[in-house]
Amino acid sequence: MDYQLLEVENGKPIKMWTQDVPVEDEAREQLINTARMPFIYRHLAVMPDVHLGKGSTIGSVIPTQGAIIPAAVGVDIGCGMMAACTTLLASDLPDNLHALRTAIERAVPHGRTVGRGRRDEGSWDTPPETVDAMWAGLLEGFTRITDRHPCLKNTNNRKHLGTLGTGNHFIEVCLDEADRVWFMLHSGSRGVGNAIGSHFIGLAQKDMQQHIAKLPNRDLAYFSEGSQHFDDYVEAVGWAQDFARRNRLLMMQNVIAATRGVIAQPFSASVEAVNCHHNYVQRETHFGAEVLITRKGAVSAQKGEFGIIPGSMGARSFIVRGLGNEESFCSCSHGAGRTMSRNEARRRFTVADQERATAHVECRKDADVIDEIPMAYKDIDTVMHAQRELVEVVHTLHQVVCVKG
């Protein structure tokens, strides 16, 4: 077997693709709690980037029948990756990449500012026409959702479309093994997805108020199929995933336009190269049965399907092709996976450490991004080796520019 099997008393087994990869005891316990839910189908599949998460373990694939756990999807609904290969070569890039980084930062709102009377720098002040045109395709579904759940109406939605966010979200300029230039970015459904996730997690806990004490964890509160809130959630989460996909597409268009303003060499870019979620739920057929597959920090890797597995800032990333391994529910990891919390990374490392670790990358090197330092993540090469039966590497990328909020 290319996975480790963990049998769970009074629950379904857990299959873990974690050879030579550290797994926290807390993450293992969280997985066991999920495996004991009565509606889990066959087994849980665990990817090598596994680590403790809020609500559900990051790096897990959760198949269910007749129920759905909103906190397993989480609040960063539809978070995922997009990559585009260009006709540019490394030799077409300027020697000093600072101007390219700042052009991308101007083109895509990023970060977050809060405070009374202050505009959030991570949102549009006045969204451009391209954003309004994209929002028009989302408005009907949003109206239908907010008619039933009015609290979701006054959220960051239209002004967050085409924006990056904070944390581990990023935009990168990368080079592949043939020195071709790629653009790669990571983001999701932003404020409106967070609001949808939080709202339905709360509804699930409220609906189960009489039974929640019997759950291993209150974040495992679920909706039963056939209930009104189940149907509402499926519709809302599907809409948020569509928002996330469009959000990445808009950002990619703006990154390409910004680059054209810096680099005189004409180029084209395959914008449709890869656009994949790694925090989402959808209906799929596995082992002859229709099931709901929740991928929490995991990517679909159906046979022949392309995906993206990024390393940390400063490490390599991979464009992969799925091998269709049914035991993993045709899934792979969504990245390297953290080895420590953000607070622990801030305690342990300094700006000087960050500067050394990202010396080859044009990026921010200040105290606010220490939590994203490469040493806070697992070794990407070990992670890739552990899932060699899940995906094959098509391209290996290393970043030369990284934008973070």
Side-chain angles (χ1 to χ4, degrees):
M1 294 187 299
D2 58 317
Y3 56 82
Q4 295 173 299
L5 183 64
L6 176 63
E7 295 287 358
V8 177
E9 187 178 358
N10 300 320
K12 293 295 195 297
I14 302 172
K15 298 182 178 182
M16 305 176 67
W17 280 261
T18 54
Q19 179 185 351
D20 299 324
V21 177
V23 182
E24 313 145 286
D25 291 340
E26 296 89 345
R28 200 179 296 269
E29 186 63 31
Q30 196 174 44
L31 289 166
I32 290 170
N33 285 340
T34 303
R36 286 178 173 151
M37 298 303 287
F39 43 76
I40 299 298
Y41 173 71
R42 288 182 70 97
H43 62 268
L44 294 188
V46 179
M47 303 299 103
D49 56 343
V50 59
H51 58 285
L52 185 69
K54 179 171 172 52
S56 188
T57 319
I58 297 166
S60 62
V61 182
I62 306 168
T64 61
Q65 286 186 309
I68 196 168
I69 307 170
V73 180
V75 297
D76 201 358
I77 300 170
C79 187
M81 299 286 302
M82 186 173 187
C85 182
T86 79
T87 55
L88 289 172
L89 296 175
S91 57
D92 298 318
L93 296 177
D95 292 335
N96 189 328
L97 294 170
H98 181 72
L100 179 55
R101 174 165 74 96
T102 54
I104 293 171
E105 289 173 340
R106 286 193 299 269
V108 180
H110 57 285
R112 182 170 181 256
T113 51
V114 295
R116 187 180 298 276
R118 298 178 66 192
R119 185 184 74 82
D120 177 12
E121 67 179 8
S123 66
W124 298 104
D125 184 12
T126 303
E129 290 181 4
T130 52
V131 170
D132 285 339
M134 192 69 83
W135 176 249
L138 291 161
L139 183 57
E140 182 180 350
F142 186 64
T143 301
R144 192 164 54 248
I145 293 164
T146 55
D147 281 348
R148 291 195 296 273
H149 300 271
C151 64
L152 297 173
K153 189 170 185 178
N154 295 322
T155 52
N156 280 315
N157 41 72
R158 169 175 158 264
K159 288 192 173 185
H160 266 183
L161 189 57
T163 69
L164 183 64
T166 60
N168 62 354
H169 295 162
F170 63 78
I171 300 169
E172 289 182 344
V173 182
C174 304
L175 302 177
D176 69 10
E177 62 285 339
D179 266 356
R180 290 177 299 185
V181 174
W182 289 67
F183 301 125
M184 186 166 72
L185 54 85
H186 171 208
S187 191
S189 53
R190 304 289 283 113
V192 67
N194 187 296
I196 288 170
S198 299
H199 173 62
F200 281 98
I201 290 169
L203 280 181
Q205 292 173 350
K206 184 177 179 181
D207 288 355
M208 294 196 70
Q209 197 163 4
Q210 291 182 324
H211 310 286
I212 205 160
K214 298 177 183 177
L215 294 175
N217 188 298
R218 64 183 288 107
D219 281 329
L220 291 172
Y222 59 89
F223 297 127
S224 296
E225 190 160 8
S227 67
Q228 180 62 53
H229 284 161
F230 177 98
D231 293 339
D232 286 359
Y233 178 68
V234 168
E235 181 178 7
V237 82
W239 180 90
Q241 289 165 191
D242 188 23
F243 181 105
R245 192 181 300 277
R246 292 170 185 249
N247 182 45
R248 291 191 289 271
L249 181 59
L250 273 173
M251 282 192 288
M252 185 62 77
Q253 291 171 351
N254 288 339
V255 168
I256 292 168
T259 303
R260 288 196 169 114
V262 174
I263 298 175
Q265 172 74 22
F267 69 91
S268 60
S270 301
V271 178
E272 72 286 352
V274 188
N275 193 349
C276 53
H277 301 314
H278 54 227
N279 276 2
Y280 69 112
V281 59
Q282 66 182 17
R283 291 188 187 275
E284 297 180 9
T285 300
H286 292 278
F287 301 101
E290 184 181 88
V291 292
L292 284 159
I293 295 289
T294 297
R295 291 188 176 92
K296 173 79 164 185
V299 178
S300 178
Q302 301 280 349
K303 189 171 182 61
E305 184 177 20
F306 283 89
I308 307 171
I309 303 176
S312 59
M313 62 185 298
R316 296 185 296 170
S317 298
F318 300 90
I319 306 296
V320 299
R321 184 186 291 117
L323 296 177
N325 189 316
E326 190 61 45
E327 294 300 318
S328 72
F329 297 100
C330 300
S331 306
C332 67
S333 85
H334 82 312
R338 298 190 71 92
T339 58
M340 65 185 72
S341 69
R342 295 183 180 279
N343 286 336
E344 178 63 21
R346 293 187 191 102
R347 283 193 295 268
R348 189 176 299 189
F349 298 108
T350 66
V351 171
D353 294 326
Q354 175 79 346
E355 289 173 347
R356 283 190 293 270
T358 61
H360 59 293
V361 184
E362 171 58 47
C363 64
R364 288 176 56 192
K365 305 175 195 288
D366 56 64
D368 288 340
V369 292
I370 288 176
D371 58 335
E372 283 293 297
I373 197 167
M375 292 83 83
Y377 286 82
K378 298 178 186 181
D379 177 70
I380 188 63
D381 293 323
T382 305
V383 166
M384 294 304 296
H385 183 72
Q387 58 187 329
R388 61 195 178 277
E389 300 300 325
L390 306 183
V391 292
E392 60 181 347
V393 175
V394 180
H395 295 293
T396 301
L397 310 181
H398 68 273
Q399 67 273 74
V400 293
V401 175
C402 179
V403 171
K404 279 190 176 286

PDB file of all heavy atoms in Angstrom, residues 198-219:
ATOM      1  N   SER A 198     -19.400  31.312   7.733  1.00  0.00           N
ATOM      2  CA  SER A 198     -19.681  31.578   9.151  1.00  0.00           C
ATOM      3  C   SER A 198     -21.162  31.475   9.459  1.00  0.00           C
ATOM      4  O   SER A 198     -21.560  30.907  10.495  1.00  0.00           O
ATOM      5  CB  SER A 198     -19.155  32.967   9.526  1.00  0.00           C
ATOM      6  OG  SER A 198     -17.755  33.057   9.343  1.00  0.00           O
ATOM      7  N   HIS A 199     -21.996  32.010   8.564  1.00  0.00           N
ATOM      8  CA  HIS A 199     -23.444  31.992   8.769  1.00  0.00           C
ATOM      9  C   HIS A 199     -23.978  30.561   8.837  1.00  0.00           C
ATOM     10  O   HIS A 199     -24.723  30.205   9.760  1.00  0.00           O
ATOM     11  CB  HIS A 199     -24.125  32.766   7.637  1.00  0.00           C
ATOM     12  CG  HIS A 199     -25.618  32.691   7.643  1.00  0.00           C
ATOM     13  ND1 HIS A 199     -26.393  33.181   8.685  1.00  0.00           N
ATOM     14  CD2 HIS A 199     -26.489  32.167   6.731  1.00  0.00           C
ATOM     15  CE1 HIS A 199     -27.676  32.967   8.423  1.00  0.00           C
ATOM     16  NE2 HIS A 199     -27.757  32.358   7.248  1.00  0.00           N
ATOM     17  N   PHE A 200     -23.576  29.732   7.894  1.00  0.00           N
ATOM     18  CA  PHE A 200     -24.120  28.369   7.852  1.00  0.00           C
ATOM     19  C   PHE A 200     -23.496  27.459   8.908  1.00  0.00           C
ATOM     20  O   PHE A 200     -24.154  26.528   9.381  1.00  0.00           O
ATOM     21  CB  PHE A 200     -23.983  27.788   6.444  1.00  0.00           C
ATOM     22  CG  PHE A 200     -25.041  28.291   5.495  1.00  0.00           C
ATOM     23  CD1 PHE A 200     -24.778  29.336   4.626  1.00  0.00           C
ATOM     24  CD2 PHE A 200     -26.308  27.733   5.493  1.00  0.00           C
ATOM     25  CE1 PHE A 200     -25.753  29.811   3.758  1.00  0.00           C
ATOM     26  CE2 PHE A 200     -27.303  28.200   4.640  1.00  0.00           C
ATOM     27  CZ  PHE A 200     -27.022  29.245   3.761  1.00  0.00           C
ATOM     28  N   ILE A 201     -22.255  27.717   9.308  1.00  0.00           N
ATOM     29  CA  ILE A 201     -21.688  26.978  10.443  1.00  0.00           C
ATOM     30  C   ILE A 201     -22.525  27.260  11.697  1.00  0.00           C
ATOM     31  O   ILE A 201     -22.864  26.346  12.454  1.00  0.00           O
ATOM     32  CB  ILE A 201     -20.213  27.370  10.663  1.00  0.00           C
ATOM     33  CG1 ILE A 201     -19.341  26.824   9.531  1.00  0.00           C
ATOM     34  CG2 ILE A 201     -19.705  26.846  12.015  1.00  0.00           C
ATOM     35  CD1 ILE A 201     -17.936  27.380   9.513  1.00  0.00           C
ATOM     36  N   GLY A 202     -22.873  28.535  11.883  1.00  0.00           N
ATOM     37  CA  GLY A 202     -23.720  28.911  13.018  1.00  0.00           C
ATOM     38  C   GLY A 202     -25.099  28.283  12.938  1.00  0.00           C
ATOM     39  O   GLY A 202     -25.647  27.821  13.958  1.00  0.00           O
ATOM     40  N   LEU A 203     -25.689  28.237  11.739  1.00  0.00           N
ATOM     41  CA  LEU A 203     -27.009  27.627  11.576  1.00  0.00           C
ATOM     42  C   LEU A 203     -26.965  26.135  11.888  1.00  0.00           C
ATOM     43  O   LEU A 203     -27.882  25.596  12.528  1.00  0.00           O
ATOM     44  CB  LEU A 203     -27.510  27.832  10.142  1.00  0.00           C
ATOM     45  CG  LEU A 203     -28.125  29.191   9.796  1.00  0.00           C
ATOM     46  CD1 LEU A 203     -28.578  29.197   8.342  1.00  0.00           C
ATOM     47  CD2 LEU A 203     -29.308  29.516  10.708  1.00  0.00           C
ATOM     48  N   ALA A 204     -25.904  25.462  11.445  1.00  0.00           N
ATOM     49  CA  ALA A 204     -25.795  24.022  11.717  1.00  0.00           C
ATOM     50  C   ALA A 204     -25.707  23.766  13.218  1.00  0.00           C
ATOM     51  O   ALA A 204     -26.335  22.842  13.745  1.00  0.00           O
ATOM     52  CB  ALA A 204     -24.572  23.446  11.000  1.00  0.00           C
ATOM     53  N   GLN A 205     -24.940  24.580  13.907  1.00  0.00           N
ATOM     54  CA  GLN A 205     -24.818  24.415  15.358  1.00  0.00           C
ATOM     55  C   GLN A 205     -26.130  24.733  16.055  1.00  0.00           C
ATOM     56  O   GLN A 205     -26.498  24.051  17.027  1.00  0.00           O
ATOM     57  CB  GLN A 205     -23.682  25.301  15.866  1.00  0.00           C
ATOM     58  CG  GLN A 205     -22.308  24.844  15.384  1.00  0.00           C
ATOM     59  CD  GLN A 205     -21.195  25.793  15.742  1.00  0.00           C
ATOM     60  OE1 GLN A 205     -21.442  26.914  16.197  1.00  0.00           O
ATOM     61  NE2 GLN A 205     -19.954  25.369  15.542  1.00  0.00           N
ATOM     62  N   LYS A 206     -26.849  25.714  15.544  1.00  0.00           N
ATOM     63  CA  LYS A 206     -28.150  26.063  16.138  1.00  0.00           C
ATOM     64  C   LYS A 206     -29.169  24.954  15.880  1.00  0.00           C
ATOM     65  O   LYS A 206     -29.939  24.565  16.774  1.00  0.00           O
ATOM     66  CB  LYS A 206     -28.647  27.381  15.554  1.00  0.00           C
ATOM     67  CG  LYS A 206     -29.939  27.879  16.174  1.00  0.00           C
ATOM     68  CD  LYS A 206     -30.338  29.232  15.595  1.00  0.00           C
ATOM     69  CE  LYS A 206     -31.646  29.725  16.208  1.00  0.00           C
ATOM     70  NZ  LYS A 206     -32.062  31.030  15.633  1.00  0.00           N
ATOM     71  N   ASP A 207     -29.188  24.435  14.651  1.00  0.00           N
ATOM     72  CA  ASP A 207     -30.132  23.364  14.307  1.00  0.00           C
ATOM     73  C   ASP A 207     -29.898  22.120  15.158  1.00  0.00           C
ATOM     74  O   ASP A 207     -30.834  21.370  15.449  1.00  0.00           O
ATOM     75  CB  ASP A 207     -29.995  22.990  12.827  1.00  0.00           C
ATOM     76  CG  ASP A 207     -30.560  24.055  11.899  1.00  0.00           C
ATOM     77  OD1 ASP A 207     -31.134  25.038  12.400  1.00  0.00           O
ATOM     78  OD2 ASP A 207     -30.412  23.901  10.664  1.00  0.00           O
ATOM     79  N   MET A 208     -28.637  21.895  15.543  1.00  0.00           N
ATOM     80  CA  MET A 208     -28.290  20.691  16.312  1.00  0.00           C
ATOM     81  C   MET A 208     -28.157  20.973  17.805  1.00  0.00           C
ATOM     82  O   MET A 208     -27.546  20.186  18.533  1.00  0.00           O
ATOM     83  CB  MET A 208     -26.980  20.102  15.783  1.00  0.00           C
ATOM     84  CG  MET A 208     -27.066  19.575  14.367  1.00  0.00           C
ATOM     85  SD  MET A 208     -25.664  18.501  14.000  1.00  0.00           S
ATOM     86  CE  MET A 208     -26.061  17.081  15.017  1.00  0.00           C
ATOM     87  N   GLN A 209     -28.719  22.073  18.261  1.00  0.00           N
ATOM     88  CA  GLN A 209     -28.510  22.522  19.631  1.00  0.00           C
ATOM     89  C   GLN A 209     -28.807  21.429  20.659  1.00  0.00           C
ATOM     90  O   GLN A 209     -28.084  21.262  21.644  1.00  0.00           O
ATOM     91  CB  GLN A 209     -29.373  23.750  19.910  1.00  0.00           C
ATOM     92  CG  GLN A 209     -28.940  24.532  21.126  1.00  0.00           C
ATOM     93  CD  GLN A 209     -29.545  25.931  21.127  1.00  0.00           C
ATOM     94  OE1 GLN A 209     -30.339  26.278  20.262  1.00  0.00           O
ATOM     95  NE2 GLN A 209     -29.172  26.735  22.103  1.00  0.00           N
ATOM     96  N   GLN A 210     -29.851  20.650  20.404  1.00  0.00           N
ATOM     97  CA  GLN A 210     -30.239  19.610  21.357  1.00  0.00           C
ATOM     98  C   GLN A 210     -29.270  18.424  21.353  1.00  0.00           C
ATOM     99  O   GLN A 210     -29.194  17.669  22.318  1.00  0.00           O
ATOM    100  CB  GLN A 210     -31.652  19.114  21.041  1.00  0.00           C
ATOM    101  CG  GLN A 210     -32.729  20.154  21.335  1.00  0.00           C
ATOM    102  CD  GLN A 210     -34.116  19.608  21.058  1.00  0.00           C
ATOM    103  OE1 GLN A 210     -34.300  18.835  20.119  1.00  0.00           O
ATOM    104  NE2 GLN A 210     -35.083  19.977  21.872  1.00  0.00           N
ATOM    105  N   HIS A 211     -28.525  18.269  20.254  1.00  0.00           N
ATOM    106  CA  HIS A 211     -27.665  17.084  20.109  1.00  0.00           C
ATOM    107  C   HIS A 211     -26.186  17.434  20.079  1.00  0.00           C
ATOM    108  O   HIS A 211     -25.348  16.531  20.010  1.00  0.00           O
ATOM    109  CB  HIS A 211     -28.016  16.339  18.813  1.00  0.00           C
ATOM    110  CG  HIS A 211     -29.480  16.076  18.650  1.00  0.00           C
ATOM    111  ND1 HIS A 211     -30.149  15.113  19.375  1.00  0.00           N
ATOM    112  CD2 HIS A 211     -30.408  16.667  17.847  1.00  0.00           C
ATOM    113  CE1 HIS A 211     -31.429  15.113  19.026  1.00  0.00           C
ATOM    114  NE2 HIS A 211     -31.611  16.035  18.098  1.00  0.00           N
ATOM    115  N   ILE A 212     -25.846  18.710  20.119  1.00  0.00           N
ATOM    116  CA  ILE A 212     -24.462  19.121  19.867  1.00  0.00           C
ATOM    117  C   ILE A 212     -23.500  18.598  20.935  1.00  0.00           C
ATOM    118  O   ILE A 212     -22.321  18.342  20.657  1.00  0.00           O
ATOM    119  CB  ILE A 212     -24.372  20.661  19.745  1.00  0.00           C
ATOM    120  CG1 ILE A 212     -23.157  21.024  18.893  1.00  0.00           C
ATOM    121  CG2 ILE A 212     -24.342  21.360  21.094  1.00  0.00           C
ATOM    122  CD1 ILE A 212     -23.221  22.415  18.301  1.00  0.00           C
ATOM    123  N   ALA A 213     -23.998  18.379  22.139  1.00  0.00           N
ATOM    124  CA  ALA A 213     -23.137  17.860  23.209  1.00  0.00           C
ATOM    125  C   ALA A 213     -22.681  16.437  22.920  1.00  0.00           C
ATOM    126  O   ALA A 213     -21.666  15.976  23.455  1.00  0.00           O
ATOM    127  CB  ALA A 213     -23.864  17.907  24.547  1.00  0.00           C
ATOM    128  N   LYS A 214     -23.403  15.738  22.054  1.00  0.00           N
ATOM    129  CA  LYS A 214     -23.040  14.360  21.721  1.00  0.00           C
ATOM    130  C   LYS A 214     -21.990  14.292  20.604  1.00  0.00           C
ATOM    131  O   LYS A 214     -21.453  13.218  20.334  1.00  0.00           O
ATOM    132  CB  LYS A 214     -24.291  13.584  21.297  1.00  0.00           C
ATOM    133  CG  LYS A 214     -25.354  13.483  22.393  1.00  0.00           C
ATOM    134  CD  LYS A 214     -26.588  12.763  21.898  1.00  0.00           C
ATOM    135  CE  LYS A 214     -27.679  12.720  22.969  1.00  0.00           C
ATOM    136  NZ  LYS A 214     -28.920  12.064  22.456  1.00  0.00           N
ATOM    137  N   LEU A 215     -21.723  15.415  19.956  1.00  0.00           N
ATOM    138  CA  LEU A 215     -20.728  15.431  18.883  1.00  0.00           C
ATOM    139  C   LEU A 215     -19.319  15.437  19.471  1.00  0.00           C
ATOM    140  O   LEU A 215     -19.097  16.015  20.538  1.00  0.00           O
ATOM    141  CB  LEU A 215     -20.915  16.663  18.002  1.00  0.00           C
ATOM    142  CG  LEU A 215     -22.202  16.763  17.177  1.00  0.00           C
ATOM    143  CD1 LEU A 215     -22.262  18.113  16.467  1.00  0.00           C
ATOM    144  CD2 LEU A 215     -22.293  15.635  16.171  1.00  0.00           C
ATOM    145  N   PRO A 216     -18.355  14.843  18.785  1.00  0.00           N
ATOM    146  CA  PRO A 216     -16.970  14.914  19.262  1.00  0.00           C
ATOM    147  C   PRO A 216     -16.459  16.351  19.351  1.00  0.00           C
ATOM    148  O   PRO A 216     -15.619  16.668  20.179  1.00  0.00           O
ATOM    149  CB  PRO A 216     -16.191  14.122  18.206  1.00  0.00           C
ATOM    150  CG  PRO A 216     -17.202  13.274  17.525  1.00  0.00           C
ATOM    151  CD  PRO A 216     -18.488  14.034  17.575  1.00  0.00           C
ATOM    152  N   ASN A 217     -16.995  17.209  18.479  1.00  0.00           N
ATOM    153  CA  ASN A 217     -16.633  18.628  18.453  1.00  0.00           C
ATOM    154  C   ASN A 217     -17.801  19.391  17.853  1.00  0.00           C
ATOM    155  O   ASN A 217     -18.401  18.935  16.868  1.00  0.00           O
ATOM    156  CB  ASN A 217     -15.358  18.826  17.619  1.00  0.00           C
ATOM    157  CG  ASN A 217     -14.818  20.234  17.710  1.00  0.00           C
ATOM    158  OD1 ASN A 217     -15.472  21.194  17.321  1.00  0.00           O
ATOM    159  ND2 ASN A 217     -13.606  20.377  18.236  1.00  0.00           N
ATOM    160  N   ARG A 218     -18.097  20.560  18.404  1.00  0.00           N
ATOM    161  CA  ARG A 218     -19.255  21.320  17.909  1.00  0.00           C
ATOM    162  C   ARG A 218     -19.069  21.742  16.453  1.00  0.00           C
ATOM    163  O   ARG A 218     -20.039  21.998  15.743  1.00  0.00           O
ATOM    164  CB  ARG A 218     -19.541  22.515  18.800  1.00  0.00           C
ATOM    165  CG  ARG A 218     -18.467  23.570  18.847  1.00  0.00           C
ATOM    166  CD  ARG A 218     -18.813  24.701  19.826  1.00  0.00           C
ATOM    167  NE  ARG A 218     -19.879  25.570  19.347  1.00  0.00           N
ATOM    168  CZ  ARG A 218     -21.106  25.574  19.835  1.00  0.00           C
ATOM    169  NH1 ARG A 218     -21.451  24.770  20.824  1.00  0.00           N
ATOM    170  NH2 ARG A 218     -22.025  26.377  19.340  1.00  0.00           N
ATOM    171  N   ASP A 219     -17.811  21.818  15.981  1.00  0.00           N
ATOM    172  CA  ASP A 219     -17.574  22.185  14.589  1.00  0.00           C
ATOM    173  C   ASP A 219     -17.942  21.063  13.627  1.00  0.00           C
ATOM    174  O   ASP A 219     -17.888  21.247  12.410  1.00  0.00           O
ATOM    175  CB  ASP A 219     -16.107  22.577  14.376  1.00  0.00           C
ATOM    176  CG  ASP A 219     -15.821  23.996  14.853  1.00  0.00           C
ATOM    177  OD1 ASP A 219     -16.736  24.829  14.785  1.00  0.00           O
ATOM    178  OD2 ASP A 219     -14.690  24.263  15.289  1.00  0.00           O
TER     179      ASP A 219
END
